[in-house]
Amino acid sequence: MNTLNTFDCGFSSPYPVELSDNLGVATVLKTIKPDHLGRVRFEATDWPARFYYPNMQSKVAPNTDVHVVGRQGLTLLVVPQPSKLC
């Protein structure tokens, strides 16, 4: 996993962003929106999640799969599957 010390996305966090090519697939439990954290189930655990791309103008509804590409602190960074955008 690569660690980045800065991440300018409008979310302030003291934690660095850790990225990977693709950690796996998570299932959305609470809708993920551009300006609000959602929740996902990943590896049998529920996690807060937000979009990796801060300018994403879509939302992802519950029961939809997303790709986990990294994390920042305890928040997973996800990318929606193109056909699953609302």
Side-chain angles (χ1 to χ4, degrees):
M1 212 177 246
N2 299 324
T3 300
L4 303 177
N5 292 323
T6 60
F7 191 69
D8 183 19
C9 66
F11 290 89
S12 58
S13 176
Y15 303 105
V17 172
E18 297 177 19
L19 300 175
S20 178
D21 290 336
N22 190 351
L23 294 174
V25 175
T27 302
V28 176
L29 301 174
K30 181 180 174 190
T31 301
I32 302 170
K33 300 177 185 177
D35 55 347
H36 288 88
L37 293 177
R39 283 196 85 70
V40 298
R41 166 81 34 123
F42 180 65
E43 295 183 350
T45 304
D46 294 358
W47 298 85
R50 69 172 173 82
F51 291 129
Y52 169 66
Y53 299 108
N55 58 353
M56 182 136 234
Q57 294 302 311
S58 299
K59 62 182 179 178
V60 179
N63 300 314
T64 303
D65 289 338
V66 292
H67 295 284
V68 178
V69 296
R71 80 179 165 85
Q72 185 173 27
L74 294 176
T75 302
L76 296 182
L77 306 175
V78 300
V79 175
Q81 297 177 354
S83 62
K84 303 297 182 180
L85 295 174
C86 297

